[in-house]
Amino acid sequence: MPEQEDVQLVVPTRAERLDLLDISIRSILDQTYPVRVTVVAPPAAQAMLRDRYGSAAKLDVTAERQKGLSAAINQAWRDDKWSSTVTGWLGDDDALPPDSVRHAVEALRTNPRAVMVHGRCLMIDQHGAPLWVARNGWLAGRLAGYGINLIAQPGCLFRTAAVKELDGLDESLTYAMDVELYARLRRLGPVASTRHQLGVFREHPDGLSTAGKAAAAKEARRAQRRVHRYTAARVADLAAVPLCSLIGRTTARLPWSASGYWRPARASRD
């Protein structure tokens, strides 16, 4: 392991909600662990975003060459020649607590065989009020790729070499590219977890995951079945559905200690 991992985070954006994008970018720039940021945006927004964030060190704004969230993220990874040791992406309406990357990297260091790491994630509404906390821990890691997804994507980090081996995200997927990636990564190695909060997910009417929640669930199940080509894996996947559903219902609530979870300041319209 190197003395310090080279961490790259990708932020794909349509540049339509600059108030939320500012929060997302600022949460990465404020990390206590050094991070390189690649913002992928429509060509028409490239100059504006460079003016907006161009003074930030280790931040690059690039124009997308193909539409689609997965394509934008893959483009950033490939343009970077998969040179980082650890990578991930962050939605332009989500955010990371200041110590997110440091905690995630420490978890990967503690688990050198792990191909990815996930942690607790605070769900907030469009105004920033807390809704519930995803805190499924090691169980979600053990069940990654099986049953119903229990891993919140914001704050997840991946070994770049493992993602490269899989050639990145499946660009045919609209919603469940993260869940499908977990399923494929799980075949390469274990999924580490940390009790620390790694992310904040914002539920709002304009959000892709919020607006397409039912479609996302169906797409995730189809994608997982496609990954599990063998009968034993498909049976295990089917058997895991009720277990994951039970775990999700049990843990998906706002704990009494919610005040201890980090959340960004309320967004202001730009």
Side-chain angles (χ1 to χ4, degrees):
M1 297 281 286
E3 291 185 5
Q4 181 169 283
E5 278 71 12
D6 175 22
V7 181
Q8 180 204 27
L9 285 180
V10 183
V11 181
T13 182
R14 305 304 303 167
E16 295 172 342
R17 283 290 304 260
L18 295 179
D19 53 340
L20 298 184
L21 178 60
D22 282 346
I23 290 174
S24 177
I25 296 295
R26 177 49 54 190
S27 76
I28 299 176
L29 298 179
D30 287 345
Q31 287 297 301
T32 58
Y33 195 96
V35 180
R36 293 189 292 114
V37 189
T38 304
V39 180
V40 185
Q46 185 180 18
M48 179 271 292
L49 293 178
R50 281 181 172 168
D51 288 341
R52 195 177 188 92
Y53 305 121
S55 61
K58 295 187 176 182
L59 186 148
D60 180 55
V61 179
T62 185
E64 65 181 15
R65 294 189 292 273
Q66 181 180 337
K67 291 188 179 299
L69 185 64
S70 298
I73 298 168
N74 283 341
Q75 174 186 320
W77 286 337
R78 291 165 185 159
D79 287 354
D80 194 52
K81 295 180 171 54
W82 306 96
S83 64
S84 64
T85 50
V86 176
T87 193
W89 73 90
L90 184 66
D92 65 357
D93 47 6
D94 300 329
L96 303 179
D99 292 327
S100 172
V101 172
R102 179 171 63 83
H103 288 313
V105 168
E106 288 174 351
L108 289 175
R109 280 184 168 273
T110 303
N111 300 272
R113 291 182 56 249
V115 293
M116 65 171 283
V117 59
H118 76 100
R120 299 187 178 194
C121 184
L122 175 67
M123 311 295 177
I124 61 176
D125 66 15
Q126 59 185 320
H127 305 297
L131 297 173
W132 57 283
V133 178
R135 55 190 195 289
N136 299 311
W138 68 271
L139 271 175
R142 292 289 182 88
L143 293 169
Y146 291 89
I148 300 170
N149 180 51
L150 297 174
I151 295 177
Q153 183 275 322
C156 286
L157 287 185
F158 313 93
R159 305 268 189 202
T160 307
V163 180
K164 179 184 179 182
E165 183 175 340
L166 301 175
D167 197 29
L169 297 170
D170 184 336
E171 297 180 12
S172 70
L173 300 175
T174 303
Y175 306 99
M177 64 288 293
D178 53 348
V179 179
E180 194 269 350
L181 179 65
Y182 305 159
R184 289 188 290 142
L185 281 172
R186 188 65 184 84
R187 296 162 63 180
L188 300 181
V191 174
S193 66
T194 174
R195 293 178 62 84
H196 294 287
Q197 179 194 0
L198 295 188
V200 174
F201 178 86
R202 189 184 300 269
E203 293 188 357
H204 62 94
D206 298 329
L208 180 67
S209 299
T210 303
K213 190 172 291 187
K218 291 180 180 178
E219 185 178 85
R221 294 296 300 137
R222 288 197 302 269
Q224 286 179 200
R225 285 195 295 270
R226 191 173 64 206
V227 171
H228 301 309
R229 297 189 296 269
Y230 301 107
T231 301
R234 290 186 175 183
V235 170
D237 177 45
L238 187 62
V241 170
L243 175 60
C244 291
S245 179
L246 175 62
I247 294 171
R249 289 197 303 270
T250 302
T251 60
R253 62 180 185 275
L254 196 64
W256 64 270
S257 58
S259 59
Y261 287 86
W262 180 89
R263 58 191 172 111
R266 182 169 179 168
S268 59
R269 282 283 188 178
D270 193 314

